[in-house]
Amino acid sequence: MGTARDKGDVLQGTLDMLVLKALQLEPMHGWGITERLEAWSGSVLVLGQGTLYPALYRLERQGLIESEWRTTANNRRARYYALTTAGRRHFTEELAQWRRMSRAINLVLDASLA
Amino acid sequence: MESISELVRRLRTLGRSTDMERRMGDEVRFHLEQQTEKNIRAGMAPDEARRAALLRFGGVESVKESVRDEYRHALVEDFWRDLRYGTRVLTRAPGFALVSILTLAMGIGAATAVFSLVEGVLLRPLPFPEPDRIVRLFQLDATGRRMNVSEPNFDDWKARTHGFVSMAETALSASVPVSGGREPIVTSGAAVSREFFDVMGVTPAVGRGFLPEEQRVGAAPVAIISHRFWTARLGGAPLEGQPLRINDELHQVVGVMPEGFAYPTGADFWTPREVAPPQRSRTAHNFQVVARLADDVPLATANGELSAVSRAMKGEHGDATWMADAAAVPLQEQLTANARPTLVALFGAAVLLLVIACLNVSNLQLARIATRRRELALRMAIGAGRGRILRQMLAEAALLSAAATVVGAGLAAAGVRAIVAAQPGSVPRLDSVGVNGTVLAFACGVAALTALALGLATVLRTSQHELRASLAGGPRTMTGDRGRERVRQGLVVAQVAITIVLLTGASLLARSFVRLLGVDPGYRTSDAVVLDLVSPFSRDAAARSRVASFQQELLARLAVLPGVESVGLVNDFPLGGGRYTNGQFLEMTRVDEFKSYEDVGRIGDQAKARAGQAGYRVASAGYFAAMGIPLLRGRLFDDGDGPDAPHVAVISESLAKAKWPDQDPLGRFVQFGNMDGTLRGIRIVGVVADVRELTPEAVPGPLLYLDYRQRPSTQVSVVLASSTPAAVAQTARQAVQQLDPSMPIRIRSIDDALELTLSGRRFSLLLVALFGAAALTLATLGIYGLVSYLVTERTREIGVRMALGAERGDIIRLVAGQGVVLAAAGVVAGLGASLGLTRLVQGLLFGVTATDPVAFAGVAIVTLVVVLAACCGPALRAVRVSPVRALVSE
């Protein structure tokens, strides 16, 4: 179990943040989240769709999202995920952190070598 | 109510992963369907669309496994975090933790100790292969009483039933002198018929079973011995050339049974039944019958067949079978039948004590919640859900009950050792009792239930609303406190009620015991020494009369010892050590009416009218004086009743009343060949008072005493009445040894013998009383705690009242009144419950009814007084409250 998790950890923080972002507007089911991420990234971000689910369970356990069964527009039963208050706050913090980090990294990468 | 269903839901999803599996399956299916449909809309063929969807998803199983990993990891992680946190919480409140652990340990320890008795004695299967297939078969008389079986009846059962794969009869001799190996001893052995070892499913571990040629009349005597006898007496030596002298006959030992095999209970050796001639009397009930049910034959079927066959036999032979019906009873049930009511009652008492301990700890928990509200509210505010808090409470409760289980198991182990040591043989199979795996599993189960109950009780009383309010830091919310107070009051009432049930049970047992001590058993119970002597049994008339001569000589020598007031002997001493055989006799028209069994058969239909039932006792004239049994009519044995004189008997009053109501029994003749094989007529010469045999609670049975010189008995107890029993015991032992150095002797005082018959009862009384006292202590502590708490809570109110001029008496009434009201409610509920529950111990009572008003009233009064005393402390503290201090305290 150890090594599998270690490998996933590299992506974990990022994927978690993307999921929280996808849920910011409205509650969605798993497939909807993958569709939205794909659309937003201009189809650049094409992850194995299955990897989403462990992340959803993890976020739910951490109390960042909650879920319930609902009926879709065309009358199908699906599990909908929604941000909790804690999740919303967490996302804001994470986003700020990410912005700081990426700005710093960009600065470093863009620095002219002259 | 809402919170309960919430809890139930949380609990359901907490430990079970099947819900998660279903949810995961549904989600993945939905996802794949959506993707497939999208692919189809993009122009793919359905099959291709599905394949592409799967490809995009990645391996379904590996995804599911990662989800499961998350789930498992979460459970373990949470569990450890909760435990660590719980440990910190508890170490910060060591007083609470210690009191809770000790209280629970007491309850768990008591329940575990008693359960180990229940497990070892009642539940554990007998140590035979497929033990549930082994049954005891009984003849039933017209009243349904279970009786031993006569040999012709056994033979008919064996030939005519098909529900049993094997069937055997056994005849246990409880006191047989055996020499060989070390010094001669007296032990038990059984004559067993051909299929005995097949029924038990056990064969000798060393050597062999009996051969067919060893199982017929006149065969050379052989024996199989117990493992215990082999190791203790023969030093585990090879069997060849080590004959045992059993009852004066040399037996070749051919086999040793495996360790622990001891059926019939206590048997040290087994001999073939068939070496003695068959018994032809259907009314001589001399055998115990065991059988093994045939495969696939249910007990009920076998029982039905046995019953039908037995009733048919009654039809053929009439009342001569002395059998109205028959019954097969599982061997285990039969062996433990006597111990069952006591053990079940004790177990019930222990469980009640455990419940009280749990109630007490819940009460403590609730009191403590008040001080923990801020902490819990804080945790909820930072995002811990109800489930998290519940898990936390469960973890704390689990820690408490785990610690309590460790302490309780230790207490139980010590308790069981003490119980086994204190219990002198009145409970079967006790030697194998101990705290073993099954018992520990039980203790852990109890602990888990305890933890669950405690945790739930705590969380149920901690409403979210209340916690939010207390985080706001405002004054204590009255609604929450009121609710919790009500629960605490409920807990106290329940504690008092259960205490009442336990105390009522204890006091009924105590009153039974006192009644029992007050019963006149019909003989002396102090100032006497009893010598149990066993001479080798023999069928040979000359050998038997030699035994009688020895006994006569011994009585003569003992009579003149200094300090001996009177001396006599009897075959079955009333306080244990005999065989207490009981059988059917026939009244005769004249002393020489019957010369053979054919003559007996000839009286035909008259048999029933002439028959009577009596215990077969053999005594000397001095026995009645030595035991203080008065002669009511006629005479006792005298010098004229020698071996060659006409045979005479003295009967007990109850026999006279039962057989010859309104008639004179003196001068009548009876024969008692069923018991000693002698058809010779016996003239009744006297009537003596009744005695209660074996225990003072026994109904005095009809007895027929024969003169020991005329019908010698090889197994006798000699009674020496003396005001200096200890000194007489010494000189009497020397007198026996002078006369026959090889005679094994057991000497006991009559006080010890009486004590032994009461010890089982004394023991269960002690245990129930102990549980009752512990329960009363816990309940009192519960009330004391609650009233103290109320006083603290109401300090301000009390101050105001006193400032406004309330008298001290008013305050005391106000405070103590609440405790007393609760106690009274508990007492009423407890008495109500007792009315129903004490019926369950009816079988253990003597001389009192299960609803004895004295016991009920006494318990109610004692409990109320104790509780009142407990309320006084806090009440007195309340009146010392200074109004000024009380008013500024908030």
Side-chain angles (χ1 to χ4, degrees):
Chain A
M1 184 169 121
T3 51
R5 282 192 57 81
D6 292 347
K7 215 159 67 184
D9 279 348
V10 182
L11 199 70
Q12 185 179 320
T14 327
L15 180 59
D16 289 1
M17 204 164 65
L18 294 178
V19 170
L20 293 179
K21 169 70 185 173
L23 292 174
Q24 227 182 357
L25 286 179
E26 53 176 348
M28 271 196 293
H29 48 67
W31 185 73
I33 296 172
T34 60
E35 283 290 291
R36 176 151 299 176
L37 291 181
E38 216 175 302
W40 280 348
S41 71
S43 297
V44 173
L45 223 51
V46 183
L47 34 89
Q49 293 177 348
T51 54
L52 177 71
Y53 288 92
L56 286 173
Y57 277 78
R58 187 165 55 238
L59 290 170
E60 184 170 8
R61 178 169 71 76
Q62 289 166 355
L64 300 179
I65 60 176
E66 54 196 8
S67 68
E68 60 178 344
W69 291 108
R70 278 196 216 165
T71 316
T72 65
N74 40 13
N75 216 17
R76 303 278 287 276
R77 191 166 154 274
R79 188 93 186 167
Y80 275 79
Y81 293 87
L83 277 186
T84 61
T85 322
R88 217 168 277 283
R89 196 167 50 229
H90 181 79
F91 176 69
T92 319
E93 287 162 10
E94 285 287 295
L95 190 62
Q97 173 80 1
W98 175 267
R99 292 248 160 83
R100 271 202 307 282
M101 282 302 291
S102 60
R103 197 178 308 125
I105 291 169
N106 283 335
L107 282 175
V108 171
L109 295 180
D110 292 345
S112 68
L113 297 173
Chain B
M1 276 299 101
E2 175 270 333
S3 62
I4 293 180
S5 57
E6 157 86 3
L7 273 180
V8 169
R9 195 183 64 77
R10 288 273 178 180
L11 275 181
R12 285 229 326 268
T13 51
L14 188 71
R16 277 172 41 188
S17 59
T18 50
D19 282 354
M20 191 205 60
E21 289 289 331
R22 196 175 310 124
R23 168 180 161 186
M24 199 161 65
D26 289 352
E27 273 197 283
V28 169
R29 199 174 314 115
F30 172 79
H31 186 113
L32 291 174
E33 281 166 10
Q34 292 296 113
Q35 187 66 30
T36 307
E37 280 168 26
K38 184 187 172 192
N39 290 349
I40 291 173
R41 282 198 301 274
M44 289 188 196
D47 279 0
E48 195 192 347
R50 169 109 188 131
R51 242 192 330 276
L54 278 169
L55 209 60
R56 279 283 272 119
F57 193 80
V60 171
E61 266 319 302
S62 80
V63 166
K64 283 189 177 175
E65 194 48 40
S66 321
V67 172
R68 283 185 204 116
D69 267 356
E70 285 292 340
Y71 181 80
R72 283 185 214 124
H73 193 255
L75 282 184
V76 174
E77 208 173 50
D78 287 352
F79 178 67
W80 281 116
R81 200 175 40 230
D82 289 342
L83 282 191
R84 276 199 309 275
Y85 186 78
T87 312
R88 272 210 307 280
V89 168
L90 290 178
T91 46
R92 275 205 304 269
F96 163 78
L98 195 68
V99 170
S100 302
I101 289 170
L102 289 182
T103 305
L104 288 178
M106 191 164 75
I108 292 177
T112 306
V114 177
F115 178 76
S116 65
L117 295 184
V118 170
E119 189 271 338
V121 176
L122 299 186
L123 301 182
R124 195 184 308 162
L126 297 172
F128 312 121
E130 294 181 69
D132 52 319
R133 307 299 290 167
I134 307 178
V135 291
R136 265 290 298 274
L137 306 186
F138 291 97
Q139 299 190 178
L140 303 180
D141 71 6
T143 64
R145 197 163 60 103
R146 293 174 181 176
M147 299 171 68
N148 282 345
V149 181
S150 68
E151 194 155 59
N153 286 352
F154 165 76
D155 290 337
D156 282 352
W157 282 352
K158 203 159 154 41
R160 291 159 72 166
T161 59
H162 307 89
F164 308 98
V165 64
S166 47
M167 193 187 291
E169 52 179 6
T170 66
L172 181 73
S173 305
S175 306
V176 182
V178 178
S179 50
R182 313 221 164 109
E183 74 273 19
I185 59 159
V186 173
T187 184
S188 308
V192 298
S193 72
R194 194 159 283 123
E195 292 175 3
F196 174 72
F197 295 105
D198 301 331
V199 171
M200 306 317 286
V202 181
T203 52
V206 177
R208 57 172 174 82
F210 298 130
L211 303 175
E213 60 263 33
E214 290 161 350
Q215 296 172 313
R216 51 186 171 73
V217 179
V222 289
I224 292 174
I225 57 176
S226 71
H227 191 272
R228 183 182 61 173
F229 187 90
W230 186 49
T231 48
R233 292 281 148 192
L234 304 183
L239 303 177
E240 291 76 24
Q242 280 230 46
L244 286 184
R245 183 170 289 277
I246 302 174
N247 272 333
D248 252 6
E249 225 178 349
L250 278 181
H251 286 63
Q252 184 59 48
V253 179
V254 298
V256 179
M257 292 309 285
E259 201 172 350
F261 182 88
Y263 185 86
T265 308
D268 263 335
F269 65 85
W270 296 265
T271 54
R273 149 79 195 100
E274 292 82 4
V275 296
Q279 298 189 357
R280 288 179 304 166
S281 166
R282 282 195 187 269
T283 50
H285 307 136
N286 291 336
F287 295 94
Q288 308 188 321
V289 175
V290 284
R292 183 174 280 272
L293 292 170
D295 289 342
D296 308 326
V297 174
L299 177 62
T301 311
N303 228 330
E305 188 195 24
L306 177 70
S307 172
V309 165
S310 302
R311 276 175 283 134
M313 284 160 59
K314 180 177 157 67
E316 290 158 32
H317 303 283
D319 291 320
T321 59
W322 206 257
M323 170 172 70
D325 203 338
V329 181
L331 182 61
Q332 177 145 15
E333 185 185 315
Q334 193 270 326
L335 282 177
T336 57
N338 289 336
R340 186 178 300 268
T342 305
L343 287 179
V344 168
L346 285 180
F347 189 60
V351 167
L352 289 182
L353 182 60
L354 176 63
V355 171
I356 291 190
C358 285
L359 292 178
N360 222 2
V361 173
S362 314
N363 217 336
L364 285 175
Q365 288 259 43
L366 287 180
R368 213 168 64 93
I369 282 291
T371 63
R372 285 185 70 189
R373 272 184 308 197
R374 296 275 164 86
E375 170 218 333
L376 293 176
L378 196 67
R379 297 195 65 203
M380 282 178 113
I382 59 171
R386 240 24 243 285
R388 292 275 314 126
I389 298 287
L390 167 60
R391 281 208 304 272
Q392 182 57 49
M393 291 297 157
L394 283 179
E396 284 174 30
L399 280 170
L400 286 179
S401 86
T405 306
V406 173
V407 180
L411 288 178
V416 167
R417 269 198 302 278
I419 289 170
V420 172
Q423 182 63 6
S426 59
V427 174
R429 304 176 75 196
L430 206 57
D431 48 344
S432 63
V433 161
V435 176
N436 56 25
T438 317
V439 173
L440 284 180
F442 168 83
C444 292
V446 165
L449 275 179
T450 307
L452 200 63
L454 285 181
L456 287 183
T458 314
V459 173
L460 278 178
R461 291 316 315 157
T462 319
S463 75
Q464 207 153 0
H465 168 73
E466 181 196 348
L467 289 174
R468 295 251 159 85
S470 75
L471 184 67
R476 289 177 185 137
T477 54
M478 288 316 286
T479 50
D481 280 355
R482 282 276 157 72
R484 188 162 43 243
E485 221 167 85
R486 262 204 308 281
V487 173
R488 293 193 62 188
Q489 288 169 350
L491 291 178
V492 164
V493 170
Q495 273 182 299
V496 173
I498 298 175
T499 302
I500 291 281
V501 173
L502 274 174
L503 288 178
T504 314
S507 77
L508 286 174
L509 290 181
R511 279 177 60 73
S512 300
F513 197 73
V514 170
R515 283 281 160 88
L516 211 52
L517 292 181
V519 167
D520 175 13
Y523 43 81
R524 96 168 44 235
T525 52
S526 64
D527 294 333
V529 176
V530 183
L531 272 64
D532 300 308
L533 304 175
V534 182
S535 305
F537 175 81
S538 175
R539 274 183 193 77
D540 175 43
R544 291 170 76 87
S545 74
R546 275 198 300 279
V547 169
S549 306
F550 166 81
Q551 291 165 347
Q552 194 169 4
E553 173 63 23
L554 181 65
L555 288 183
R557 291 196 188 187
L558 293 175
V560 297
L561 289 181
V564 172
E565 287 149 23
S566 52
V567 58
L569 66 77
V570 69
N571 62 341
D572 295 332
F573 184 66
L575 288 172
R579 294 176 59 195
Y580 309 98
T581 48
N582 178 303
Q584 189 189 0
F585 64 84
L586 276 184
E587 187 174 357
M588 308 163 90
T589 52
R590 53 177 204 283
V591 68
D592 55 352
E593 184 185 7
F594 303 132
K595 300 222 163 38
S596 67
Y597 278 101
E598 281 69 33
D599 293 343
V600 178
R602 230 165 269 138
I603 66 170
D605 290 346
Q606 288 182 30
K608 190 172 187 190
R610 293 225 221 157
Q613 195 80 15
Y616 179 89
R617 302 293 176 264
V618 170
S620 71
Y623 167 72
F624 302 98
M627 285 295 275
I629 303 168
L631 174 70
L632 302 178
R633 304 184 50 204
R635 66 169 177 93
L636 294 174
F637 310 126
D638 60 30
D639 290 343
D641 302 320
D644 305 319
H647 286 194
V648 292
V650 169
I651 63 172
S652 72
E653 192 180 7
S654 59
L655 176 55
K657 280 186 183 149
K659 179 62 186 152
W660 295 282
D662 309 320
Q663 289 171 293
D664 190 358
L666 298 186
R668 290 174 187 270
F669 293 99
V670 298
Q671 67 87 0
F672 219 158
N674 271 343
M675 305 308 297
D676 58 13
T678 310
L679 290 175
R680 186 169 175 175
I682 306 160
R683 189 161 59 94
I684 296 170
V685 296
V687 179
V688 293
D690 282 327
V691 295
R692 297 173 190 266
E693 287 186 322
L694 284 173
T695 120
E697 63 202 281
V699 176
L703 297 180
L704 189 142
Y705 298 92
L706 290 138
D707 189 305
Y708 77 106
R709 294 162 295 181
Q710 298 180 336
R711 306 280 171 117
S713 171
T714 52
Q715 177 202 324
V716 293
S717 297
V718 176
V719 187
L720 297 121
S722 166
S723 50
T724 55
V728 165
Q730 278 311 312
T731 51
R733 180 189 289 275
Q734 288 160 6
V736 175
Q737 278 166 347
Q738 273 171 14
L739 203 56
D740 182 356
S742 72
M743 172 73 67
I745 321 168
R746 180 172 73 146
I747 298 186
R748 48 189 171 144
S749 78
I750 203 162
D751 309 64
D752 290 348
L754 180 70
E755 169 55 31
L756 199 65
T757 68
L758 295 173
S759 61
R761 207 172 251 286
R762 190 189 297 278
F763 162 77
S764 36
L765 168 63
L766 189 73
L767 221 51
V768 172
L770 209 64
F771 291 170
L776 184 60
T777 310
L778 288 179
T780 308
L781 284 177
I783 289 201
Y784 176 83
L786 187 66
V787 174
S788 300
Y789 169 80
L790 291 179
V791 168
T792 317
E793 287 286 288
R794 298 172 74 172
T795 302
R796 189 192 178 96
E797 179 196 335
I798 292 168
V800 171
R801 282 174 188 259
M802 287 181 72
L804 294 177
E807 293 292 324
R808 293 182 151 222
D810 298 333
I811 303 298
I812 290 180
R813 266 198 297 282
L814 173 77
V815 173
Q818 278 195 306
V820 172
V821 165
L822 292 182
V827 167
V828 170
L831 290 178
S834 297
L835 275 178
L837 287 171
T838 51
R839 273 173 232 287
L840 301 178
V841 294
Q842 184 104 54
L844 303 177
L845 302 183
F846 176 80
V848 294
T849 62
T851 54
D852 183 55
V854 177
F856 276 60
V859 164
I861 290 168
V862 166
T863 307
L864 282 174
V865 166
V866 169
V867 166
L868 199 62
C871 293
C872 278
L876 288 177
R877 243 185 301 129
V879 296
R880 281 201 294 272
V881 165
S882 140
V884 181
R885 268 241 305 286
L887 289 173
V888 298
S889 74
E890 286 273 321

